[in-house]
Amino acid sequence: MKLNKITKTAICLSLLATVGCTDNFEDINTNNNGITPELFQQDFNHIKGGFAPIFNNIQTITSQLEWQYQLQQGLNSDIWSGYMATPTPFGGSNNTTYNLNDNWNGFVWSIAYSNVMYNAYNIEQLAKGKYDQFYALALILKVEGMHRVTDTFGPIIYSKYGTTDATIEYDSQQNIYNQMFSELDVAVTELTKRVDSGDDGTASFGKTDLSGYAGKFEQWIKFANTLRLRLAMRIVKVDPALAKTQAEKAVAQKFGVMKTNADLFQIQSPVNTNPIATISGSWLDIRMGADMESILGGYNDPRIATYFDTSAQFPGEYKGIRTGIEITAKGDHQDFSGIGAVVRSKNIVLMTAAEAYFLRAEGALRGWNMNGDAKALYEAGITTSFDQRGASGAAAYITDNVKTAKAYVDPNFPVNNAAAVNNVTIAWDAAATNEVKLQKIITQKWIAGFPEGQEAWSDYRRTGYPKLFPVLKNTSGGKISTLLGVRRINFVQSEISLNKGGVDSGIAKLGGPDTGGTRLWWDTAAANF
Amino acid sequence: MIAFTAQVSLAQVKSIKGVITDSDGMPLPGASVAVQGGQRGSTTDFDGLYSIEASKGQTLVFSYVGLESQSIVVGDAATINVKMGQAQSNALNEVVVTSLGIKKTRKSLTYAAQELKGEELTRVKDANLINTIAGKIAGVAVTKSSGGTGGSTKVVIRGNSSLLNSQPLYVIDGIPMLNAGSGQPNETFGSLSGGNRDGGDVVSLINPDDYEGMTVLKGAAASVLYGSQGANGVILLSSKKAKTGKSNISASSVTTFETAAYLPKFQSDYIADAGADETWGAAGKTKDHVKDFFNTGTTQITSLGYSAGSENSSTSLSYANTSGSGIMPGNSIKKNNFGIRQTAKFFDNKLSIAANANYTSQNIINKPVNGLYFNPLTGVYLMPRGNDFDYYKNNYEVFDPNRNLMAQNWMTNRDIMQNPYWAINRNKSEDKNNYFNGALAVSYKANNWLSIASRYSYNRVESNFDKKIYATTQGTLSHINGRYINESALSTQRYADLIATINTNISTDFNFTANIGTSITNTLSNQKTILDSGIGTGLQYANWFTLHNFNSNSGNYQTVDSQKEVQSVFAATTFGYKDMLFLDVAARNDWSSTLVNTDKSGYFYPSVGLTALISEMATLPDWINFGKVRATYAQVGNDIYPFITSPTYYYRPGFEDPKPSVGPKPGETLKPELKSEIEFGTEWRMFNNRLGFEVSYYSSETKNQYIQVKALEGNVNGYSFYGINAGSIENKGFELVLNAGIFRGDKFSWDSAINFSQNKNKVKEIPEELGGRVNLTDPGVNSYQYAVIEGRPFGVIEGKNILKDDQGRILLDADGKIQKTGFQEIGNANPDFMLGFSNSFKIGSFFANVLIDGRFGGEVMSLTESQNDFFGVSKATGDARNAGGVKVNAVMPDGTAVTTMDAKSYYFTQGVAGREGATGEYMYDATNVSVREISIGYNFSPKNLPFIQSASISLIARNLFFIYKDAPFDPNIALSTGQGLQGVDIYGLPSTRSIGLNLNVTF
């Protein structure tokens, strides 16, 4: 009896003690290096804090995460655009030979969703209706970040993002484009209203802004308009009427599109250098593309000196590598030209002012009201690009009607040699066909846009220009045509395992098999004109 | 209760008093005195004093666990002092230390517990005490890290049962010890944050000379009283205690010499083409520079102890110094251990207090790393042959007039192979550890059946890692101006308990003991401050290694791995019947801070066990001295990972993005893990206790394992992972411990022991979201992956194979090229069974001990060999070239047979070798049998030596040689003592063979 009593008392006492002191369990279980939601609201950091990860992950530029950029863009669109090529075998069969590597390509999706989409959505939840300038800026950045993703996969999660349903449905690309246009409407309207009322944006957004715009709303509006122009041109083959409306709307907007190199959209990182610098300079994993050597070399284009370094193996020469060749050892090509000074910079350009001119030139060619004629806009595009790269001789270059792309020679492996394929000259020829004029515009746009391969790959799919060397080794197993190249990337593994229903809805809306050979909504097989 | 109430009055009863001491004259508290045939009994107090009422002519029986019982007939004297001698070792009176420091008779245990005497821990001393238990305890797998002297050790008892941690709990004098390490590597390529380094552990810091013995509690039943911390088994250490009335000074000195054993084999017939990193050029004799690269390591352990005891107090002091240099040039270790222990008794000896404090400081320069980054070995092994290694050794840096600094001098700019001497001298690292353990114990003996004890302890571990990476270190690893990494980690543990112990005879037939208590454990693990100037951002001025020279703050951060408090109540009871049947019932309830915001704040788990002494219950033949059967069933709960249920926004390094990385899956709640184990055993001794064996069978299952699954990309909570409960791992096995006194004579004796264990492991369930698998080590770009896969044993090694047909022929493609498969299972890191065989001999004053240790089954991969082949430096590639190519059994798609392939094409161009090669070709049987320990010595006779109580000298050797081994490296060394990177070697430090001298003197 005695024992039982003692036992009971002991247990009760300790129970009392226990219950009494578990109050601080919540504190103990909280990581004191974390920031609590309450603290985070001070200075609107809960809203502003979402911008940096978007800026830094439209292209992942974070130092020591260069490998993520490599998988997000470096080993897909940077290569399929003809800009660059890798000397590294990476197993011999991979994206370069059209055997799409799911483990690599999953990063296109995951980086966009966990950084751009997540933060844009959070900012919308916190700022919409209260701090609409942040909402507007987040919308522009969302369109900038996510149009790249839909242009890669086709249908993606867009309007349904934020639901906690077990299955999150994908939108058709048409719906996504429509939503992006209306999101740009909202953003441009809001920011214009603010500029008109005397708020230039530097006070509220200056310190948060990691672009070169220093928070200036006017600049952001110009960027949004140019982005609209880009998206409008993208859909020109599938919905020419809407394309024209949107393009003219962009140009006619009060602040218009980008005009000078001060307008270009770039991330000005305080700490991070363009990841391509490391991938090329330290890892020797990316080199000049053979198409770049063929076109820039053929044109004797002075911009080559900022774009590329001369080859370590062939001193004084610019030497590119063809993509989709048989690579047995990295050493075979690793000492060809690396990527040049353009990437050894903390300014990472995502949209050039030259692009705006080339878009307008194409619009003018199509008979749209672009405030200028095609020739003038085309030449302004080239001049603006020369100016941006600090290259001289634009005047002579523009009038060169002799030089064309040159043949490609692989000094180590002649099997990779090829005659030039993109046979247009530089000078505008009013007498040429629209097709030739378009090829010139896109070729110059392609040169000017370096090293942003994502947009170049999209243009290539839309127009077929510039003409690129085909792969010599196609290990896609018949899924991707050697002639047409990669049209998209198949849906990602993480979605297939965690959101199968969503992926199925996406495949239904894709209108073709979930492979890299299926064309997107805007990528029709129709002629350019 | 009858015992206390049924008082029978007898005539001529008188009070008898006395003191009971051991053979050294030290009072024995808790010894029992009983009147034979009567119901009266008493126990001694802390001074060994007893009093009992008895009448003349009755017999008093004096007993104490572990000592020979004595019977004395009461005469006229009122005082009877008894000196109790050591009992002949037999199963009936052996005492073992169990959970919470509670001593129990061995015979009453309902579970397996195996002991090691202090001598076993110090005979062939290792700087890390735990390395000396390999092969000595059945069911315990000991794997050293490749971090050299001062490295950590992985101990797994009865198989891996958890995805997060399989290491046992270490307990010193009943108090759990904090065994926090500052991290283990888990990248095949090597970490960019200073290389794949062993963050060390605490048990490697303690002084082996401070302990008189060790008990290993293997199963859940044995460890139920430690709760979740003990779920992987418990290793109990008992500290040495001063003896009453004696004082002595002991000194020991151990000096060992280590040499690199089992190096990879290299070719010396071919050189590299000019400018090439790989040695695939023309024929040309080269010198083998690898052997000469390694030094002979030395380890010197000097230990001093002083102890003195009086009737009311005792003091012990200890000091040990370890200093050594490793086989890797530039690697050295210094360690100092201080210990003090003080005991005192008050209030008529009812109250006793013990306090002890231990402090260790350790400093290691250039602790060896594994993997491909920052590792000098890659440069040594892979250097393009034909270059003069000695030139690069003596000129590892040369003056660069363009930068006006000393720049690295090496023939290639490859991130995975720097100049080794640059890596040693100009990527220098320093690991510092400081460990403090202070404990205070108070116990009060309320009366002869109840005592109350309370203990408090504080553990503190500080570790610091400092690495100075000089400008011109390869660009993947460092900024152009150099890089500075400095990581500090702090771990603390505060533990307190209050335990009431009841020990009473309910009647002569029934004995009841109980321990009822409560405890609180508050743990902070790895509160870190990490400074890293980074690779991209770097230092402003070259080679100025300090925080204010950082170009950016982006690599600096503070973090904490874990922080939690567990409050518990527990009770363990034993009912004994006639000293032949024992029933254990124990239970515990834990409340853990990690469970806030879940449905349960605490969790309860019980255990029950039964032991029957057959030799006491039935009449057995005379030659059987002891026979016992036992069975237990136990559960152990385990709380979840801290912070998961209270997610905060968190700035992670390299991410500007403050979002919680892990949180519960929306709509689900987390619950504790639960391990259930059933165990049966039997123990027998025979032929005058000359032969004894114990067999145990166990079966355990750990359910509701905490697993993090990848969350939907970009989910609205911002989580990268959801924490869920899922997964179940089963372990079944048996253990055999056999002891034999083969020969016992005055001049010569030979004792043998065998420890055998077999464990079968099966992963019963891994959730569907994870595709039935959890990757413990991701492959990165290398062809090695370590995973836990449903339906397979824990720890599957996956890699790539050469594509072959059913007949084993290599299937070439149309171009005649070898094709590789995707990732496939190619092995398992777990041994099928382990066998330890120890022998000790005595010939007069000479003694000898030999321990043979074997691990059978399992596989290991050598990425080192694969990489050496790829680079054309291995002997295999030289032999193949000499033989005109690699002999293959291959077939073209058109059926043409191919029997020889050019060596360069096979290993290099087609990439059968290399870190991303067909690693299935680089799998080896992990089976190995080694001569683990040998000691041969002489005990000096104290009679011949003035002032000296004892003295001995011995020649010792550790890892002397392998009797059998298939792998090209020592498979008992792991790249990590965490859960990942098992069964693979990627430029780990070669295993060492050590030989030395051990001197012991006691004054």
Side-chain angles (χ1 to χ4, degrees):
Chain A
M1 304 306 116
K2 214 171 178 178
L3 287 173
N4 280 345
K5 261 185 198 167
I6 287 164
T7 313
K8 268 184 192 164
T9 314
I11 289 173
C12 292
L13 274 173
S14 36
L15 271 173
L16 276 173
T18 307
V19 173
C21 55
T22 55
D23 296 348
N24 60 351
F25 271 13
E26 177 80 52
D27 281 345
I28 293 171
N29 199 42
T30 302
N31 187 332
N32 52 16
N33 293 294
I35 182 165
T36 60
E38 297 72 35
L39 280 177
F40 205 39
Q41 286 178 16
Q42 299 172 144
D43 289 332
F44 303 109
N45 284 325
H46 63 314
I47 298 171
K48 292 180 176 177
F51 282 99
I54 300 180
F55 281 120
N56 288 336
N57 287 286
I58 295 168
Q59 284 183 350
T60 289
I61 60 172
T62 310
S63 171
Q64 297 189 32
L65 293 182
E66 289 87 356
W67 62 272
Q68 286 199 6
Y69 173 84
Q70 193 178 20
L71 302 181
Q72 179 195 32
Q73 180 163 340
L75 288 172
N76 49 61
S77 60
D78 283 352
I79 280 173
W80 298 329
S81 62
Y83 278 164
M84 300 174 226
T86 179
T88 314
F90 292 119
S93 172
N94 51 52
N95 282 359
T96 66
T97 59
Y98 295 177
N99 177 15
L100 302 192
N101 184 325
D102 289 338
N103 294 336
W104 294 359
N105 300 333
F107 284 89
V108 181
W109 182 283
S110 64
I111 293 169
Y113 277 90
S114 48
N115 294 288
V116 178
M117 201 65 174
Y118 165 79
N119 285 295
Y121 175 83
N122 264 358
I123 294 167
E124 175 178 344
Q125 298 301 303
L126 297 164
K128 189 178 177 182
K130 285 186 278 188
Y131 314 103
D132 276 323
Q133 73 275 37
F134 296 125
Y135 172 44
L137 291 159
L139 283 177
I140 298 171
L141 284 166
K142 181 169 94 168
V143 173
E144 161 64 10
M146 299 308 293
H147 85 277
R148 310 159 70 86
V149 182
T150 179
D151 287 350
T152 301
F153 297 103
I156 58 170
I157 295 171
Y158 202 72
S159 67
K160 303 290 193 306
Y161 181 84
T163 63
T164 50
D165 303 347
T167 288
I168 306 177
E169 203 186 326
Y170 285 32
D171 293 325
S172 70
Q173 193 172 41
Q174 183 174 16
N175 285 350
I176 295 165
Y177 265 73
N178 286 333
Q179 189 177 334
M180 290 194 295
F181 286 130
S182 56
E183 283 169 342
L184 291 175
D185 288 341
V186 171
V188 168
T189 307
E190 172 63 27
L191 295 181
T192 305
K193 193 181 80 191
R194 291 198 175 246
V195 174
D196 290 347
S197 69
D199 173 8
D200 74 347
T202 49
S204 60
F205 197 57
K207 284 183 179 159
T208 309
D209 196 347
L210 291 179
S211 79
Y213 296 153
K216 292 196 194 87
F217 290 158
E218 194 181 320
Q219 295 286 11
W220 278 94
I221 296 165
K222 284 189 218 172
F223 169 52
N225 288 333
T226 315
L227 191 53
R228 181 192 301 278
L229 181 57
R230 176 194 276 185
L231 298 181
M233 195 59 76
R234 187 92 80 234
I235 63 169
V236 69
K237 280 160 82 174
V238 70
D239 192 346
L242 181 62
K244 178 170 188 287
T245 313
Q246 290 293 340
E248 291 179 345
K249 185 176 183 177
V251 174
Q253 205 274 340
K254 185 173 176 181
F255 297 105
V257 296
M258 296 175 183
K259 291 187 186 64
T260 71
N261 284 319
D263 295 336
L264 58 73
F265 181 67
Q266 63 184 349
I267 312 300
Q268 285 191 334
S269 170
V271 289
N272 300 310
T273 304
N274 192 322
I276 298 172
T278 299
I279 297 167
S280 169
S282 293
W283 303 351
L284 312 182
D285 264 353
I286 202 82
R287 302 281 108 187
M288 180 191 214
D291 300 287
M292 269 276 153
E293 186 197 333
S294 165
I295 295 173
L296 290 183
Y299 288 166
N300 200 13
D301 194 310
R303 286 171 287 187
I304 200 168
T306 51
Y307 287 5
F308 300 104
D309 297 332
T310 51
S311 160
Q313 191 177 352
F314 307 99
E317 283 185 54
Y318 292 98
K319 229 34 253 176
I321 308 173
R322 245 178 109 165
T323 281
I325 55 171
E326 185 73 59
I327 302 176
T328 48
K330 185 174 181 177
D332 293 345
H333 294 94
Q334 71 175 16
D335 294 325
F336 283 27
S337 285
I339 316 302
V342 67
V343 295
R344 291 192 283 270
S345 162
K346 288 176 178 160
N347 296 350
I348 294 124
V349 179
L350 292 173
M351 187 186 276
T352 63
E355 180 183 340
Y357 285 107
F358 292 121
L359 285 165
R360 286 166 67 195
E362 184 180 347
L365 190 64
R366 292 179 183 277
W368 304 346
N369 180 4
M370 293 285 112
N371 285 341
D373 68 58
K375 177 174 188 284
L377 291 167
Y378 170 73
E379 291 175 350
I382 295 174
T383 317
T384 308
S385 178
F386 268 61
D387 181 39
Q388 182 196 344
R389 311 297 184 179
S392 58
Y397 181 87
I398 285 169
T399 56
D400 188 329
N401 61 1
V402 177
K403 294 195 194 80
T404 58
K406 63 170 189 174
Y408 172 72
V409 175
D410 182 336
N412 297 348
F413 297 89
V415 67
N416 300 326
N417 294 353
V421 289
N422 193 56
N423 298 311
V424 288
T425 56
I426 302 162
W428 188 258
D429 177 6
T433 61
N434 275 356
E435 198 63 46
V436 169
K437 287 173 179 165
L438 180 66
Q439 186 174 1
K440 291 190 180 199
I441 294 171
I442 301 298
T443 299
Q444 285 302 325
K445 189 181 179 189
W446 180 80
I447 296 171
F450 186 84
E452 217 291 76
Q454 175 69 33
E455 184 58 21
W457 179 45
S458 291
D459 266 342
Y460 175 75
R461 285 178 290 166
R462 179 174 67 87
T463 65
Y465 299 128
K467 291 184 179 167
L468 303 175
F469 297 122
V471 294
L472 293 175
K473 179 181 177 187
N474 183 333
T475 55
S476 71
K479 288 179 188 156
I480 299 171
S481 139
T482 300
L483 186 67
L484 297 172
V486 183
R487 310 311 290 190
R488 66 183 283 274
I489 290 175
N490 52 293
F491 292 122
V492 302
Q493 291 301 311
S494 69
E495 281 287 299
I496 290 167
S497 58
L498 297 171
N499 185 27
K500 183 75 173 63
V503 173
D504 289 342
S505 75
I507 294 172
K509 286 164 184 165
L510 180 66
D514 181 23
T515 66
T518 301
R519 288 172 180 267
L520 302 183
W521 165 71
W522 51 254
D523 174 17
T524 73
N528 280 317
F529 294 95
Chain B
M1 305 304 126
I2 295 162
F4 300 108
T5 49
Q7 294 279 349
V8 181
S9 197
L10 287 171
Q12 294 168 329
V13 169
K14 62 178 181 183
S15 181
I16 296 161
K17 287 182 179 164
V19 61
I20 303 179
T21 58
D22 66 11
S23 53
D24 292 333
M26 189 180 169
L28 287 170
S32 53
V33 187
V35 179
Q36 200 170 51
Q39 288 168 333
R40 241 170 279 146
S42 173
T43 52
T44 56
D45 62 14
F46 272 91
D47 272 343
L49 292 168
Y50 73 94
S51 72
I52 191 167
E53 297 194 329
S55 44
K56 190 174 171 183
Q58 283 185 309
T59 305
L60 291 180
V61 179
F62 299 87
S63 58
Y64 186 83
V65 282
L67 300 181
E68 192 90 68
S69 293
Q70 291 187 28
S71 301
I72 295 172
V73 179
V74 178
D76 293 325
T79 301
I80 300 175
N81 292 332
V82 182
K83 193 173 205 173
M84 299 180 71
Q86 200 72 34
Q88 279 280 326
S89 173
N90 72 56
L92 287 172
N93 51 30
E94 279 174 27
V95 177
V96 290
V97 178
T98 66
S99 305
L100 301 164
I102 298 160
K103 283 186 180 167
K104 285 189 165 184
T105 49
R106 183 170 179 86
K107 65 182 179 189
S108 72
L109 294 184
T110 59
Y111 46 77
Q114 201 172 342
E115 288 179 288
L116 278 184
K117 298 230 162 21
E119 183 200 49
E120 298 279 352
L121 305 176
T122 54
R123 186 192 295 134
V124 184
K125 215 182 265 180
D126 190 282
N128 184 349
L129 165 132
I130 228 66
N131 288 336
T132 59
I133 73 169
K136 295 176 186 169
I137 307 270
V140 177
V142 177
T143 314
K144 278 168 75 163
S145 89
S146 64
T149 307
S152 59
T153 300
K154 182 182 173 83
V155 176
V156 177
I157 301 177
R158 288 186 174 173
N160 282 294
S161 65
S162 169
L163 295 168
L164 294 175
N165 175 27
S166 286
Q167 294 264 33
L169 172 71
Y170 293 93
V171 171
I172 296 175
D173 293 335
I175 303 175
M177 185 185 93
L178 174 68
N179 191 32
S182 64
Q184 284 295 321
N186 197 18
E187 290 165 70
T188 48
F189 216 99
S191 167
L192 276 173
S193 306
N196 258 356
R197 57 193 188 83
D198 174 3
D201 56 12
V202 176
V203 75
S204 66
L205 296 173
I206 64 176
N207 179 2
D209 283 304
D210 283 349
Y211 303 95
E212 65 180 7
M214 175 191 280
T215 308
V216 179
L217 307 179
K218 298 168 188 174
S223 57
V224 65
L225 286 179
Y226 287 113
S228 43
Q229 287 179 290
N232 297 321
V234 182
I235 293 181
L236 304 162
L237 286 159
S238 307
S239 55
K240 280 182 184 160
K241 288 162 190 81
K243 291 186 172 159
T244 303
K246 280 202 166 180
S247 67
N248 64 47
I249 293 171
S250 61
S252 85
S253 167
V254 177
T255 308
T256 54
F257 298 93
E258 289 93 31
T259 51
Y262 329 114
L263 291 176
K265 292 189 169 66
F266 297 94
Q267 59 93 1
S268 56
D269 297 334
Y270 295 89
I271 60 173
D273 285 335
D277 289 349
E278 297 89 3
T279 304
W280 288 109
K285 281 284 171 197
T286 62
K287 182 184 148 200
D288 179 8
H289 62 271
V290 176
K291 226 170 39 228
D292 298 335
F293 171 77
F294 294 102
N295 291 338
T296 296
T298 58
T299 306
Q300 167 72 45
I301 306 174
T302 309
S303 166
L304 294 168
Y306 163 80
S307 81
S310 72
E311 285 193 8
N312 288 318
S313 70
S314 72
T315 302
S316 314
L317 290 171
S318 70
Y319 169 75
N321 174 287
T322 305
S323 68
S325 60
I327 56 166
M328 179 83 93
N331 169 227
S332 65
I333 178 171
K334 278 198 164 56
K335 181 166 78 171
N336 286 293
N337 296 80
F338 304 89
I340 179 163
R341 183 180 166 83
Q342 183 77 40
T343 65
K345 292 171 191 158
F346 304 95
F347 306 128
D348 213 9
N349 293 332
K350 278 188 181 298
L351 180 72
S352 66
I353 295 175
N356 66 284
N358 292 284
Y359 178 76
T360 305
S361 74
Q362 178 178 273
N363 197 345
I364 301 177
I365 307 288
N366 281 338
K367 188 189 266 192
V369 297
N370 58 62
L372 302 173
Y373 286 150
F374 292 109
N375 188 347
L377 287 186
T378 54
V380 177
Y381 291 180
L382 299 178
M383 181 191 75
R385 298 304 194 261
N387 286 289
D388 181 356
F389 187 77
D390 290 336
Y391 165 74
Y392 287 105
K393 174 182 180 176
N394 299 325
N395 301 281
Y396 64 84
E397 55 185 4
V398 291
F399 185 70
D400 175 356
N402 295 322
R403 291 196 66 187
N404 199 27
L405 51 66
M406 295 299 281
Q408 178 173 195
N409 181 27
W410 191 233
M411 75 297 292
T412 176
N413 180 31
R414 274 290 270 271
D415 54 2
I416 59 163
M417 44 184 289
Q418 297 196 88
N419 183 322
Y421 292 94
W422 176 269
I424 288 165
N425 293 297
R426 294 290 177 253
N427 293 172
K428 195 174 191 173
S429 70
E430 186 170 3
D431 280 88
K432 285 181 193 159
N433 293 89
N434 291 307
Y435 168 60
F436 173 77
N437 175 13
L440 192 64
V442 179
S443 79
Y444 181 73
K445 187 169 168 62
N447 54 42
N448 59 10
W449 56 267
L450 173 69
S451 63
I452 295 166
S454 179
R455 293 180 289 205
Y456 174 81
S457 86
Y458 178 68
N459 278 213
R460 183 182 176 92
V461 190
E462 290 163 341
S463 35
N464 180 269
F465 171 74
D466 185 284
K467 193 169 182 79
K468 297 183 172 74
I469 300 162
Y470 279 67
T472 71
T473 293
Q474 208 280 338
T476 304
L477 311 175
S478 168
H479 183 256
I480 187 165
N481 287 339
R483 179 179 179 197
Y484 181 49
I485 304 172
N486 188 301
E487 293 187 22
S488 297
L490 170 69
S491 298
T492 63
Q493 178 186 273
R494 285 172 289 151
Y495 170 88
D497 66 20
L498 178 67
I499 301 168
T501 303
I502 294 155
N503 185 346
T504 181
N505 288 318
I506 299 169
S507 71
T508 32
D509 288 347
F510 287 98
N511 175 273
F512 172 74
T513 59
N515 297 280
I516 300 157
T518 176
S519 71
I520 180 167
T521 311
N522 185 305
T523 318
L524 169 73
S525 121
N526 285 321
Q527 179 177 292
K528 286 183 179 173
T529 299
I530 293 172
L531 309 179
D532 183 356
S533 63
I535 299 158
T537 57
L539 298 170
Q540 188 181 355
Y541 299 110
N543 301 338
W544 183 23
F545 302 107
T546 189
L547 177 58
H548 48 272
N549 190 36
F550 284 22
N551 281 329
S552 112
N553 191 35
S554 63
N556 304 335
Y557 63 103
Q558 292 185 304
T559 180
V560 58
D561 285 359
S562 133
Q563 177 176 301
K564 68 175 177 181
E565 184 169 297
V566 179
Q567 301 176 2
S568 315
V569 293
F570 50 82
T573 57
T574 303
F575 297 91
Y577 173 69
K578 285 190 169 175
D579 255 11
M580 60 173 71
L581 209 55
F582 299 92
L583 173 69
D584 272 359
V585 180
R588 181 179 175 110
N589 200 89
D590 286 344
W591 290 267
S592 168
S593 64
T594 65
L595 291 170
V596 293
N597 305 325
T598 67
D599 291 349
K600 279 183 157 185
S601 62
Y603 45 103
F604 172 84
Y605 39 98
S607 81
V608 57
L610 188 67
T611 284
L613 300 184
I614 295 173
S615 51
E616 299 290 301
M617 296 166 89
T619 312
L620 298 172
D622 279 352
W623 54 271
I624 295 179
N625 309 104
F626 178 76
K628 160 182 161 175
V629 290
R630 55 182 167 79
T632 75
Y633 172 77
Q635 290 189 324
V636 187
N638 198 354
D639 55 4
I640 59 177
Y641 208 70
F643 309 142
I644 306 302
T645 57
S646 316
T648 51
Y649 292 109
Y650 183 54
Y651 276 98
R652 286 170 293 161
F655 296 79
E656 299 82 353
D657 189 4
K659 57 191 177 192
S661 118
V662 192
K665 199 169 184 177
E668 288 186 10
T669 184
L670 283 163
K671 52 183 188 267
E673 285 183 10
L674 192 65
K675 178 177 186 173
S676 310
E677 183 170 75
I678 186 160
E679 176 179 340
F680 302 98
T682 183
E683 184 178 357
W684 295 84
R685 303 221 181 161
M686 50 206 74
F687 308 123
N688 280 327
N689 292 311
R690 287 275 287 274
L691 181 68
F693 68 88
E694 182 171 13
V695 180
S696 307
Y697 168 84
Y698 60 88
S699 170
S700 76
E701 184 177 359
T702 311
K703 288 183 186 164
N704 299 335
Q705 300 229 6
Y706 173 76
I707 292 180
Q708 293 186 354
V709 298
K710 193 100 182 93
L712 197 65
E713 300 286 2
N715 63 83
V716 284
N717 293 307
Y719 300 153
S720 302
F721 299 95
Y722 297 130
I724 61 167
N725 287 113
S728 158
I729 296 171
E730 180 186 82
N731 280 286
K732 286 179 179 173
F734 74 93
E735 291 152 2
L736 168 70
V737 180
L738 182 74
N739 291 292
I742 295 174
F743 190 86
R744 293 242 170 95
D746 288 344
K747 292 277 176 210
F748 176 71
S749 70
W750 175 16
D751 285 86
S752 243
I754 286 174
N755 288 294
F756 173 86
S757 63
Q758 182 192 41
N759 184 64
K760 279 213 162 64
N761 181 295
K762 190 179 175 188
V763 179
K764 288 182 74 177
E765 188 202 330
I766 297 283
E768 241 173 77
E769 290 103 309
L770 294 170
R773 60 182 296 135
V774 173
N775 281 357
L776 294 176
T777 302
D778 281 322
V781 293
N782 299 336
S783 298
Y784 164 84
Q785 174 161 291
Y786 188 64
V788 175
I789 300 172
E790 187 171 304
R792 305 293 306 144
F794 189 102
V796 167
I797 300 170
E798 294 180 306
K800 294 176 181 171
N801 278 313
I802 292 176
L803 195 65
K804 291 181 182 168
D805 65 8
D806 298 343
Q807 303 166 42
R809 294 182 303 180
I810 296 172
L811 285 173
L812 302 174
D813 69 9
D815 299 332
K817 297 244 160 66
I818 286 175
Q819 306 174 78
K820 279 176 254 179
T821 65
F823 273 99
Q824 294 181 334
E825 176 171 344
I826 53 176
N828 187 288
N830 295 312
D832 297 333
F833 62 94
M834 298 184 290
L835 188 65
F837 179 36
S838 67
N839 288 285
S840 55
F841 305 90
K842 274 188 185 136
I843 309 162
S845 290
F846 287 95
F847 58 87
N849 293 277
V850 180
L851 172 66
I852 293 165
D853 184 17
R855 282 170 101 149
F856 299 84
E859 288 92 22
V860 287
M861 179 193 288
S862 176
L863 274 179
T864 312
E865 284 296 317
S866 178
Q867 189 80 340
N868 288 351
D869 281 357
F870 184 82
F871 276 77
V873 296
S874 66
K875 185 165 188 298
T877 63
D879 291 350
R881 279 176 274 186
N882 287 335
V886 182
K887 296 276 175 289
V888 290
N889 176 17
V891 61
M892 296 283 288
D894 62 9
T896 319
V898 175
T899 54
T900 308
M901 270 190 182
D902 175 58
K904 179 180 181 185
S905 170
Y906 178 86
Y907 288 113
F908 178 71
T909 319
Q910 302 186 47
V912 168
R915 55 189 171 73
E916 49 183 345
T919 42
E921 300 294 304
Y922 294 93
M923 292 301 291
Y924 306 88
D925 187 350
T927 300
N928 69 90
V929 180
S930 71
V931 179
R932 177 74 63 210
E933 287 183 7
I934 286 188
S935 70
I936 299 165
Y938 181 78
N939 280 318
F940 294 98
S941 168
K943 288 170 202 158
N944 305 335
L945 301 161
F947 312 118
I948 285 177
Q949 294 180 21
S950 71
S952 69
I953 181 166
S954 57
L955 191 66
I956 57 174
R958 173 169 292 282
N959 301 332
L960 198 58
F961 61 90
F962 280 98
I963 296 168
Y964 175 86
K965 177 173 76 76
D966 176 47
F969 61 98
D970 181 351
N972 301 306
I973 291 190
L975 298 189
S976 161
T977 58
Q979 290 296 74
L981 274 187
Q982 301 299 305
V984 63
D985 177 50
I986 310 160
Y987 294 93
L989 184 74
S991 180
T992 57
R993 168 186 297 136
S994 68
I995 296 175
L997 203 62
N998 186 354
L999 288 166
N1000 283 295
V1001 185
T1002 306
F1003 300 96

